[in-house]
Structure formats: structure tokens, C-alpha cells
Amino acid sequence: MSYPDMMRAAIKKVEETRKKRLDETFSMLSPEEKKELLENFHPDYRDDAFREVKVGANKGQSLPHEVVDILEARSRIDPDSFSLDVDREVDVLVIGGGGGGSSAALIADALGAEVLQVTKLRMGDANTMMAQGGIQIADKENDSPAIHFLDVMGGGGFANKPDLVKALVMDAPEVGKWLEDLGYMFDKEEDGRMVTRHGGGTSRKRMHSARDYSGAEIMRTLRDEVQNREVPTIEFLPAVELLLTEEGSCQGAVLYDLETEEYMVIRAKTVILATGGFGRIHVSGFPTTNHYGATADGLVMAYRAGANLLFMDSTQFHPTGAAFPEQIVGLLITEKVRGLGAQLVNNEGEQFVYPLETRDAEASAIIRECEDRGRGIETPTGMKGVWLDSPMIDQIHGKGTLKKELPAMFRQFDRFDIDITEDPILIYPTLHYQNGGVEIDASCETRVKNLFVAGETSGGVHGKNRLMGNSLLDVLVFGRRAGRAAAERVREVKFGKLSLDHVKDYNRGLEEGGVETDRVSPMLLPDYSAEGSF
Amino acid sequence: MGDGMVTIYLMGKAYSVPENLTIMKAMEYSGFQLKRGCGCRGGFCGACATVYRIKGDYRVQEGLACQTVVEEDMYLSMIPFYPAIKKKYDIEELEPETNVLRQLYPEINRCLGCNTCTRSCPQELEVMDYMNAAIRGDIEKVANLSFDCIMCGLCASRCPAELVQHNVAILARRIYGKYILPKARHLAERVREIEDGRIEKEVDELIAKDREGLEKLYNERDIEGE
Ligand SMILES: Cc1cc2nc3c(=O)[nH]c(=O)nc-3n(C[C@H](O)[C@H](O)[C@H](O)COP(=O)(O)OP(=O)(O)OC[C@H]3O[C@@H](n4cnc5c(N)ncnc54)[C@H](O)[C@@H]3O)c2cc1C
Ligand code: SF4
Ligand code: SF4
Ligand code: FES
């Protein structure tokens, strides 16, 4: 599966100009140029990609069609006939088997609560497993939580909720210590000092890592610990609806066994939702870096239960997703490739953007190059992309650098007979992160009493744009906070009568809003058997 | 053949699929909506362990469904779950001694040195070497050699001595990370500063600022050099 002839010709151009480009620096965008670029080419600014949502707490707000589609949809269960006979009672129900859910489960369990953790796929089939770059922690002498605070706020366009950002940066060192004590293999110097690097938008080198498996190392460590502590977990058992009491506080969920196709009713004193992001709803038709189960289920369930959403109008596109070979379209090509000196090059073999602009600007420039200027390179399946000139890395830093610094990436392409030390990588922006989500307070509680949300499902902490390394931190900080708050709340809660009235109300809202649809949500699994896959 | 299609056999049943697809996408192309055996779709989670054999060849090969391209006359089956043993332990109670791996997994001494595990690893790890290191009690070596393990379980599923390489490996990595790698002193110090209440004030002062003030500070902040 090496490059076909039609692409080989284009690669020639890249090779021809490589030598010249080695000492060429493309100028950075001025603030005005950047603004214009974003407004014209960033998918967040495309009016035709949005419509008004007609139901629920964010009624009247303009959101991407794909988000509105899953919000304006019917429940998987019929609230009028569904039997709410309780199958199992617990203190804390944790929904989600990623970093957020697992840290919440561990903390709630350690505080003595009776926990049940359920997840849609296997434990650890989650975005957390896929993070490569690292986690931000302000622990060096020249750094501080206050400096970190400023970076997060600036990165998020100052729209972030300050109390959440404070929690994020102040808890970060403790989270680092927790990981270290659990046996996380941080990249360290001989004497134990953390090896730290810059990431987009950091003013200090604060990115901590575990080679290029930073997230996998978190996920497998937490999963191992959940197993060691014997926290009850059930896999392939997604939640499909939350349960409220007649007084409106959350007391459980309806679960659905993916294999037996049976429903199960769990009554819980508190509920933690940590179902992750929305990459697999493919906003504006983009491919995604996200795992198979990233279908925004938690967002839908919380919204139907009355919670409100923040910043769901902003989506993070990663500028460099694989565009070839077809098998890995959308897969993340880490920022580090550009960090090590690889330039972005069009079909003429020319640079067209400074390689380390912010993600939104970088992505917009690539979209402009392909869609507007017609300088993209086409693949056999008709997808367009531009080159990321990876062979430059060894030319700049010496032979062997790429393989040493980016082993996962090298392996990834080598499987398809593409040697990225010799040939460039074809890339196009890919849907990467859900910037917004369910509004929470600093203890992760939502507008719905006793419903806690943590991780990528929540919104507010990153404002309108998350910086790399702050979401692994987010899931651990707020996962732990949710675990603690939910476990402590247990003592105050008395079981009430379970009800699905909120679903009935929501259906009425759909009718009142004039929404006629037979769409059903949460989606649970994307269906690639019909339309061909991403 | 020749029309860009190949015939593959999913659990024994024939399907015609485009030749460039991964096994995972070929299954979807054939009409399956995957429930098990599909996680990250990018070679990171180990959910999609698959064994296959090409017609006429006696050898059974291993791969990740999301990373392996289909071939003509490929007979395949996923192993989405493998009943591997996983020992429970309290990481706080362990000692980083040479016999700790063998105490929890005494069966590792049964290794036959057949190298099947190394041959079956989709991450191309030196699995047998790390198992040998485990038997010797060289925790550091196990941790480093196994670092890229995605815990797909393919090695374990093929091991004639019925060992659980990946579970031995994660135990070694956690012991290494916790007890053998030196602690980061600056991290502990920062945690202490926060506990002593020495940090909160600085953050609260920033919160008290209006947007303009904050923006000014942000735009003027100094940036650590490379
Ligand atoms: C390729 C990639 C690279 C990244 N790199 C970085 C990085 O370098 N640094 C960084 O900080 N961040 C990075 N991120 C972002 C970060 O990894 C995620 O934002 C974070 O891990 C999300 O954690 P989570 O626990 O909220 O969700 P996830 O880890 O996605 O976990 C969600 C869990 O919920 C389960 N679930 C979903 N729906 C249901 C349901 N209905 N019922 C029950 N369970 C359900 C899922 O199966 C999954 O187990 C990256 C993300 C990706 C995709
Ligand atoms: S497959 Fe099993 S017996 Fe063979 S070398 Fe590996 S661990 Fe030893
Ligand atoms: S060592 Fe075993 S479990 Fe780990 S990646 Fe290799 S085959 Fe899979
Ligand atoms: S689906 Fe995760 S490794 Fe294949």
C-alpha cells in the first residue's frame, strides 16, 4: 500500500523543493490575517454548518447540525411503558470506562462508597487510551499554577469558567503525585526530575509524558488499579437514559446490554457521567481521531435530564490528521512532527503556512489551500490533503531521529509500506476534541441535583479552545473531584420514586418546537456498515 | 481478483471486499456493526486482536484488525476476549525485589523459550526477552522492553506455556514507575506548597482581575525558550 503513481508525481515536487525549504521560514500570521482566515475557513464559522436547537436548556442557540441531530431525537425507550423495576442498587453509579470514569470510581471506592462502573465497550476503549502528547502540570521551579491559569484562560479565549480553571491548575500537582505513586512511568531525568516540553499555547515547558503513549500509560494504570481494588465494573453495558426522582434529582440510569439487548435499571444515590467526547458524530463530515465509542451519549442523556451545555458551538479540529492511506484517514499525526521541523507543503511543493500556528488557524489554512486555492493533492478515493514533510526531521536533527522520537507514528505508516523518513505524509484536518459540554461546578455537579459530570463530556474548563495536555489533566482532576463529591453526597441522599417524566417532558418539548423526527439517541455505536467507514 | 476485490472468510463465511481495506473496515463493508473487537481504531487499545490463516498455508498468523490489510483467501477470527489470569495486588504493599514478579506469577518459570510470543506481537516487541528478564527479576528491563504493549493478549493466546506476558509486564512497569524510578522532588515540593496554602492567593488575584487586565497579562507574559 505504498503511494500510488498519481501521488508519486506530487511527491517529486516536494523532494525538489526540500533543500531550498530547509532554510526557509514561513512568516507567522498577523492577528488580522488570522481573524480573516478563521472567519472564512474554520468550520466553526460556517453558517450553513449550524442550526438552532428547538428543545431543552439551550433552546434557541445555534449548534452544529450533527449536535442538534442527536439532541433533537427520541429516547431509545418509551417512557410511558418502560418498567422501572430496579435490578440493582448502589451508592455511586459511574458511567464510562475512560480516564474520567476510572479515576472517579477509584476515589469513590476509596472513600467507602459502594460503586458500580459501567462502560459501553471494554474498560479502556476510550479517548484516554489514545493520547500521545502528554499532560500539563505546573510543577517546575520556574512555573506555577498561576502561570498555568493564565495560559489556560488565554488559550480558551478568556471564556473559561475561572473557578474550574482554578481547580484544574491547583489540583494538577496532586494528580501528578497520584500518578507517580500508582507507578506511572513518567519520562524523567536520571535524578527523577520530570522531562517537560512545550505544547501549543504553553508559556512554560510543562508537558509531562510517558514516551508517545502518555494516555495509554494513564489508562492501563488506572484500569489495573480498578481491577486490583475489585471495583465492580460491567463492560458492554452502556447507559441510554438517566433516571430522576419525582423531585428532579438524579438517582440512577437505564442501561442496555449490547449483546443480550436487554435493559437494566440501576438505582443509585449519585451518578457520575464520564462518557467522553463526540468525534464519531463527524461534525461537518470530518473524519476523527476519536475512538469508536465517542458518540456524545452523556451529552444527550444529561441534556434530556435538564442539564445545560456550554460552548458546544466550538469544535477542535486537529490540523494534521492522516489523509492517506484510506485505512487510517483521520488518525492523529501528532503536533510533535511539526515541532521537530516538518513543514506543511502544497501540490507545488511550497509552504503556505507557518507550521506552528494555533490549531484552529493551522487547520483553516489547510482547508483554504485545498478547497479555495485548489492546491491540495488528491488521493485515489478522492480525498484531498497537503503534505507534511516528515523526511525533513532526519535532515535537520540527524538520521534516526524520527524513528527514535516518533516510534508509534513510524510503525503506524510502516504497516502500510510507507516509510515516513523517506516520503512525506498526506494530511487533512480531523475532528479531535469536544471543547464544550455539560456545565458543571467545581465539584462537577450539574444543574441536575446529584448528577456529576467529568472529563470531555463536561464544558467550561477549556472555554472555547482546549490546549494540548490539559484534557488528560482535566479528566483526572475532575474525575477525582466527581468521585469525592458523589461519594460524600451519598450520606445525604434518600431514595425517592424513580421516574422518566423528564423524557416525557422532553418529547413534549420536541413537539412544541415543531421537531418531527424518528431519529433516536444516544447513538451508542456509529453505523459504518451502511455508508462506508471512517 | 484483478477487479480490486478479494475474498475473505469471516469465521468461515466468504465475503468479497475491496483489497485495500483493513480487516476491521472489511468487516464493516461486509455489513457487520462491530460491538466487540473495536475500540480506538488506531492501534492503541488492543481491542481488536485477530488470528488468521491464508488458504494453503498451515501457519496461523496474528494481527490487529484495525491495522492489518486483508489478503486474498484470508480466513480470520477475532479474539475480542481472552481469559487471561490477572493477579490482584496492593501496589503499596509490594517490594521492588527480584522475586516479586515470580511470587505473583510463579508460572513464568515454565517458559519454553519458543519465541512464539515475540513472533505474534503486533507491536513488534521483544516479548520473549522481557519474559526472560521477568524470570531473572530484572524489573527495569521488563518495564522498558514492554513499554509499548497495548495489552491485546495475542502473545498470551498463543503461548504454549499459558503465560500472561502482558499482565506480568504491567506489574513490572508499575513497580518500576513507583519504586525504582527516582521520585520527582520538585513535584512533591509543589504539592506541599499548595497544601500549605502558599499558592492559592496568586490564582485568586488573577481571578479578581477583569477581562482586560487578564488579557494584558496574558499578552505580555514571558515565554520560556526552547
Ligand atoms: C488521538 C487523541 C490524542 C489525544 N492527545 C491528547 C494529549 O496528548 N494530551 C491531552 O491532554 N489530551 C489528549 N487528547 C484528549 C484526551 O485524551 C481526552 O479528552 C480524554 O482522555 C477524555 O477522557 P474521558 O474520560 O472524558 O473520555 P474517554 O477516555 O473517551 O472515556 C469515555 C468512556 O465512556 C464510555 N462510554 C461512552 N458512551 C457511553 C455510554 N452511553 N454508557 C457507558 N459508557 C459510555 C466509552 O466507551 C469510554 O470508555 C487526545 C485525544 C485523542 C482522541
Ligand atoms: S510464547 Fe510463552 S513459552 Fe514461548 S517464549 Fe513466549 S512466554 Fe515463553
Ligand atoms: S506484548 Fe503481547 S499483549 Fe502486548 S502488544 Fe505484544 S502481543 Fe499484545
Ligand atoms: S481497535 Fe484499538 S488497537 Fe485496533
Side-chain angles (χ1 to χ4, degrees), chain A residues 271-285:
Chain A
V271 176
I272 300 173
L273 261 182
T275 51
F278 73 165
R280 293 272 157 199
I281 68 172
H282 299 292
V283 173
S284 288

Side-chain angles (χ1 to χ4, degrees), chain A residues 211 224-225 259 327 412, chain B residues 20 36 67 89 144 174:
Chain A
R211 306 187 196 175
D224 194 56
E225 193 61 11
E259 283 156 330
Q327 295 89 327
Q412 197 56 259
Chain B
N20 290 332
R36 287 195 180 251
Q67 301 294 307
Y89 54 88
N144 282 318
R174 290 192 61 188

